[in-house]
Amino acid sequence: GIGIRIRILAMAMAMSLVRSRAPAWVPWALGGRPGACLAQQQGAVASSGFATRADKKANAGHEDDAFEVEIPIPFSLHRLPEDCISQRVSTSKAEVLSFFRDLYRMRRMEIAADVLYKGKFIRGFCHLYDGQEAVCVGMEASLTRSDAIVTTYRDHCTYLGRGGTIYEVMAELLGRSGGASQGMGGSMHMYRRSDEFYGGNGIVGAQVPIGVGIAFQQKYSGKPNCTLALYGDGAANQGQIFEALNIAALWDLPAVYVCENNHYGMGTAEWRGSKQPAFYKRGDYVPGIKVDGMDVFAVKKAVAFAKSYVLEHGPLVMEMDTYRYHGHSMSDPGSTYRTRDEVSGIRQERDPIERVRKLIAAMELATAAEVKAIEKECRKEVEDAIAKAKASPEPDAANLTKNIYAMPLGMKLRGVDREANFQLPN
Amino acid sequence: ALGLAAATQKAAPAGLTPTTTIAQVRENHTGEQARTRRVNFFTAINDALNIALDSDPKAITFGEDVSFGGVFRCTSGLLEKYGSDRVFNTPLCEQGIAGFAIGAAAMGYTPIAEIQFADYIFPAFDQIVNEAAKYRYRSGGMFNCGGLTIRTPCGAVGHGGHYHSQSPEAFFTHVPGLKVVIPSSPKDAKGLLLSSIRDNNPVIFFEPKIMYRTAVEEVPTGDYMTPLGKAKTVREGTDITLVGWGNQVGTLQQAANEVEEEGISCEVIDLRTLLPWDVDTVAESVAKTGRLLVSHEAPLTSGFGAEIVSTISKECFLNLEAPPSRVCGMDTPFPLVLEPFYLPRQFRVVHEIKQSLNF
């Protein structure tokens, strides 16, 4: 009754005194209303691992009911007003559980790819994303499939986030015709046109000017969409990135430059390769924001902010502070340029999946058994995908001469010797 | 590759026996030191870099990840020996690496820049073509970047896909002012690299990456230089001349072995330097055999084979018994799983040899 409500209010007010950035808010239990609008966030505030009985009670409702999560690490801002973005983001039980599922299945997929590579089922180059999953998952929470994404060769999870299936990723890695690019691209070249995913690009930094071009098309067509052009800390020193940024800024294009800073460009630490390792400031005249890329909620919040910002003002540079557990690629053990303690330290302190798991436990969004069930489903999904991919056929040899030109019109393509001529289709 | 052939022979003791005369030593190792060591391709490259940095105080080497030894270990040990102001990493920017190297060369240094994979050389293409190649010409001889060497791994490796397998040598042969060199064995690699570094012109030095570990040979330990612009006849023959470079030389040798059983005698020439290429050696050989076959991994159209065929067709027109043929990569982007269909493999070379002989 009233007594409980007063106690809740008292605890809530005490909590608000403890936190350094806590404007007045009304607990849900006392009539505050959940809202999706950034400006009017009301609701019980929770942060991972910080649970009270009041919170638990407040969250006993429907799984789509919104509540707020605190983002512990403050955003760093460059040329943006201090109050432009708050440290809280609205979410719901359904969303948190879906985050967990997506993060977990991405992790299992990458681990499975590691095993397949070592078993020589996957050959060539394989750049794994485990550790960085929060970036993909958080991004997608604030984007639609009409917003565009273009990224580097570390694209397996980005592809998945854009609506791809684990089977398509595995088949592509194994070089089979059921793969994302019909087996013709491999690990580094996965594309998904229907969901505005422009790959999957091998040459470092070359995808960023392409992202600006996509943003130009969006603005020109009057679409309410933006483009996220992802690149790494190593690529941040490519000249073409700055050329394209200048263009984007001149023409106010809705391009978000997302630097996935995992702190090592292959084996080179960021401070060795870059004079200015604060990549969110690299835009100089273009505003920037630095985000804790291991916190899926921070990513969600920042990308929502970025989208609304660039649609109005032009480009924005976003630095995701993230980390990869594997080396640069499967040929790189990842231990010659960083200590094992560093890697295991990040795993313990900042792992994206564990944070969400702790939040689920603290807020009792699901029981341990339910979480285990999700994990089991994800594992099965990966296993099934691998089995299906292994059984699927390789691309037909005719693919060798397909898709070289748009309209070959029966043109002759010269083969290996003067007799091997191929008639390209009409 | 020649290295593989050597690997099947019994290892000879450093070429010296109790009855070897001084004349024999001189004959076997003209201009090279008698002591040899059995090493692979990347160790031979490493040797050459060591000697270059040791003998020339103005020699410096740099590139992505060069400090710790490089992704193929070609530069291992150099940082420890020569220090970080001569052996250092660059950030990830090929255009910057090339431009920086050209500037250093223009100041009289001997920069040996590494582009990590030849597939990544294209951001640097403008610097190489417009700045490096034309420096001497556009300044009327006042400036030059002759000390510049750019070394880069190239070629198919079995699983490289689009961006770790390309052979872009033809683009650079089209640029007067540059030299383009590509060895086919560890011994040549060391000698050619030292010549390239010491040549007073900008040189692009391609290293077939598949050979880094697999090609093993007795390589002289000392300082020696293999002349640029001279091809090497690696196999004497009378019926047809096979011309190739890099890893393809090994494929040509294997094809020659195969057709030898049917009585066809092939002459195999390793071009070694593509720009300027040794017209005389090839023309003399074709004048003798009457048939030419050129083979390279790069796509057929406008590959360097086109230049060779065109020139030899003119030089040896009256000697030719059959039209010159080319066995090259297909005119497609370098594929991923379909690589075996793309490459000019042994059976295709054999087929073309027979076609030529049956003309």
Side-chain angles (χ1 to χ4, degrees):
Chain A
I2 285 290
I4 290 174
R5 289 179 178 206
I6 290 173
R7 251 181 281 154
I8 290 169
L9 181 55
M11 279 158 74
M13 291 179 83
M15 275 159 61
S16 78
L17 285 171
V18 166
R19 288 200 195 87
S20 50
R21 296 178 51 163
W25 48 268
V26 180
W28 186 79
L30 290 177
R33 287 288 169 260
C37 171
L38 292 176
Q40 291 157 338
Q41 285 300 344
Q42 288 180 338
V45 178
S47 62
S48 38
F50 204 138
T52 65
R53 289 181 62 192
D55 294 333
K56 285 180 198 167
K57 275 207 161 75
N59 291 302
H62 189 269
E63 63 171 23
D64 287 328
D65 287 339
F67 58 91
E68 283 197 315
V69 173
E70 175 116 358
I71 296 163
I73 295 183
F75 297 107
S76 304
L77 302 171
H78 170 70
R79 287 189 187 265
L80 286 168
E82 236 184 67
D83 56 355
C84 66
I85 181 171
S86 81
Q87 292 294 135
R88 288 202 293 280
V89 69
S90 164
T91 184
S92 66
K93 171 179 160 183
E95 185 176 59
V96 175
L97 291 175
S98 88
F99 279 173
F100 181 82
R101 179 183 292 272
D102 283 335
L103 292 169
Y104 193 78
R105 60 197 272 271
M106 285 178 182
R107 177 68 58 88
R108 296 309 316 172
M109 180 180 77
E110 295 296 75
I111 290 173
D114 173 293
V115 174
L116 284 173
Y117 191 92
K118 286 174 179 155
K120 299 218 161 91
F121 289 96
I122 299 173
R123 301 193 66 221
F125 296 87
C126 192
H127 307 84
L128 299 178
Y129 199 75
D130 54 317
Q132 299 184 214
E133 302 93 346
V135 174
C136 283
V137 175
M139 253 173 20
E140 296 294 343
S142 293
L143 297 175
T144 69
R145 295 283 169 77
S146 304
D147 298 309
I149 295 182
V150 66
T151 188
T152 66
Y153 43 77
R154 206 177 295 279
D155 61 344
H156 306 165
C157 299
T158 326
Y159 178 80
L160 220 55
R162 282 272 96 182
T165 66
I166 298 184
Y167 163 68
E168 285 162 354
V169 173
M170 286 299 169
E172 189 63 36
L173 291 174
L174 293 167
R176 307 298 170 96
S177 57
S181 308
Q182 291 84 53
M184 297 300 287
S187 164
M188 291 194 275
H189 307 290
M190 302 195 187
Y191 296 82
R192 197 167 174 86
R193 189 175 194 162
S194 55
D195 295 292
E196 295 285 310
F197 179 52
Y198 293 83
N201 297 282
I203 300 295
V204 168
Q207 73 277 3
V208 177
I210 292 173
V212 173
I214 298 166
F216 173 77
Q217 168 270 126
Q218 286 170 329
K219 177 155 184 169
Y220 191 81
S221 312
K223 296 180 189 168
N225 298 115
C226 66
T227 301
L228 268 62
L230 276 63
Y231 58 99
D233 44 295
N237 298 312
Q238 279 279 321
Q240 51 191 320
I241 288 184
F242 297 94
E243 293 182 20
L245 186 63
N246 180 51
I247 291 174
L250 265 176
W251 299 340
D252 295 325
L253 300 179
V256 185
Y257 269 42
V258 181
C259 179
E260 288 184 289
N261 182 12
N262 57 25
H263 306 284
Y264 296 94
M266 240 166 63
T268 302
E270 61 183 340
W271 54 271
R272 279 186 197 258
S274 301
K275 180 68 180 174
Q276 167 57 292
F279 297 102
Y280 71 107
K281 291 185 184 167
R282 284 285 196 93
D284 181 22
Y285 44 86
V286 172
I289 178 171
K290 180 169 168 174
V291 184
D292 176 8
M294 306 294 263
D295 180 352
V296 65
F297 299 102
V299 174
K300 173 186 170 181
K301 176 78 180 210
V303 172
F305 167 78
K307 177 170 175 176
S308 67
Y309 181 90
V310 299
L311 283 173
E312 213 183 308
H313 302 288
L316 182 74
V317 177
M318 189 182 319
E319 179 183 343
M320 300 282 189
D321 183 355
T322 183
Y323 200 84
R324 52 166 163 81
Y325 296 142
H326 269 89
H328 163 76
S329 71
M330 288 304 300
S331 341
D332 170 22
S335 52
T336 52
Y337 48 86
R338 53 186 193 176
T339 61
R340 286 186 212 274
D341 285 341
E342 179 185 299
V343 183
S344 54
I346 305 267
R347 246 191 232 273
Q348 266 172 353
E349 305 292 315
R350 296 179 66 201
D351 183 75
I353 300 177
E354 292 312 305
R355 294 166 81 136
V356 177
R357 193 197 298 273
K358 282 193 188 116
L359 179 68
I360 291 174
M363 299 198 64
E364 293 185 352
L365 300 175
T367 64
E370 284 167 351
V371 168
K372 261 204 155 37
I374 296 176
E375 291 180 3
K376 196 168 164 196
E377 281 162 25
C378 293
R379 271 192 247 257
K380 180 155 195 314
E381 189 187 352
V382 171
E383 276 163 22
D384 289 347
I386 293 174
K388 189 173 163 198
K390 276 183 178 172
S392 68
E394 282 185 357
D396 191 57
N399 280 301
L400 193 52
T401 55
K402 260 168 79 173
N403 293 318
I404 299 172
Y405 290 105
M407 292 173 65
L409 298 175
M411 177 178 147
K412 274 218 182 105
L413 178 144
R414 293 200 278 176
V416 170
D417 53 52
R418 74 166 186 266
E419 287 203 349
N421 284 321
F422 296 81
Q423 198 89 10
L424 295 178
N426 282 317
Chain B
L2 291 176
L4 284 174
T8 59
Q9 292 164 10
K10 221 178 71 167
L16 295 175
T17 71
T19 54
T20 311
T21 65
I22 296 289
Q24 276 173 330
V25 170
R26 287 217 181 96
E27 185 188 27
N28 289 337
H29 304 277
T30 48
E32 307 160 357
Q33 295 192 14
R35 276 201 57 224
T36 65
R37 200 163 64 110
R38 191 170 183 73
V39 293
N40 62 22
F41 198 102
F42 77 74
T43 310
I45 298 284
N46 190 255
D47 270 356
L49 290 171
N50 244 310
I51 291 170
L53 279 120
D54 193 46
S55 56
D56 178 359
K58 288 195 158 182
I60 55 177
T61 184
F62 48 88
E64 293 157 19
D65 301 304
V66 155
S67 271
F68 83 91
V71 289
F72 295 110
R73 299 215 235 138
C74 294
T75 50
S76 49
L78 296 180
L79 171 67
E80 290 78 9
K81 246 177 118 172
Y82 302 103
S84 63
D85 39 326
R86 294 178 70 194
V87 180
F88 50 91
N89 284 340
T90 59
L92 210 173
C93 48
E94 288 74 19
Q95 189 172 25
I97 292 170
F100 175 88
I102 292 164
M107 294 302 292
Y109 276 72
T110 309
I112 307 156
E114 178 185 296
I115 300 290
Q116 198 161 78
F117 282 84
D119 315 57
Y120 310 157
I121 204 167
F122 299 106
F125 197 63
D126 172 66
Q127 283 288 339
I128 294 168
V129 169
N130 281 329
E131 301 301 325
K134 300 175 171 66
Y135 219 142
R136 195 189 293 272
Y137 193 84
R138 69 177 192 263
S139 66
M142 203 187 315
F143 284 99
N144 70 77
C145 55
L148 171 66
T149 308
I150 295 178
R151 31 172 302 273
T152 179
C154 70
V157 76
H159 51 259
H162 312 297
Y163 300 120
H164 295 81
S165 318
Q166 290 178 41
S167 301
E169 69 270 3
F171 293 107
F172 299 94
T173 59
H174 194 53
V175 185
L178 291 181
K179 292 199 177 181
V180 178
V181 178
I182 173 164
S184 72
S185 69
K187 190 157 125 193
D188 272 350
K190 180 175 169 180
L192 286 170
L193 183 55
L194 280 165
S195 298
S196 302
I197 291 168
R198 289 163 177 168
D199 191 281
N200 203 12
N201 292 290
V203 179
I204 316 290
F205 188 85
F206 289 100
E207 299 167 2
K209 65 176 87 68
I210 197 172
M211 299 178 105
Y212 277 136
R213 287 179 211 254
T214 60
V216 181
E217 201 178 18
E218 291 286 337
V219 174
T221 54
D223 187 345
Y224 67 97
M225 288 165 62
T226 307
L228 300 185
K230 282 247 20 107
K232 182 161 135 189
T233 305
V234 295
R235 186 200 195 97
E236 304 252 333
T238 54
D239 293 329
I240 181 169
T241 302
L242 311 178
V243 177
W245 49 89
N247 194 43
Q248 198 64 11
V249 176
T251 308
L252 293 177
Q253 287 276 48
Q254 281 164 353
N257 288 342
E258 187 179 322
V259 298
E260 193 171 40
E261 289 161 26
E262 295 172 43
I264 301 173
S265 158
C266 300
E267 181 141 301
V268 179
I269 297 179
D270 174 8
L271 215 51
R272 303 198 297 192
T273 304
L274 269 54
L275 184 71
W277 67 284
D278 189 352
V279 181
D280 291 346
T281 302
V282 180
E284 274 163 24
S285 170
V286 176
K288 179 175 71 168
T289 64
R291 291 179 170 85
L292 172 68
L293 184 151
V294 186
S295 187
H296 55 70
E297 275 178 25
L300 180 64
T301 300
S302 298
F304 194 63
E307 160 67 29
I308 298 172
V309 165
S310 171
T311 303
I312 297 296
S313 298
K314 181 169 179 185
E315 297 293 321
C316 302
F317 187 76
L318 295 174
N319 304 94
L320 286 168
E321 300 287 339
S325 35
R326 292 181 287 164
V327 183
C328 306
M330 288 182 65
D331 278 346
T332 73
F334 199 103
L336 186 57
V337 288
L338 298 174
E339 179 174 323
F341 295 93
Y342 166 94
L343 284 174
R345 286 151 70 212
Q346 180 183 330
F347 76 93
R348 285 205 194 271
V349 175
V350 165
H351 175 80
E352 269 304 291
I353 291 173
K354 292 180 182 169
Q355 290 290 110
S356 188
L357 263 82
N358 290 334
F359 184 76

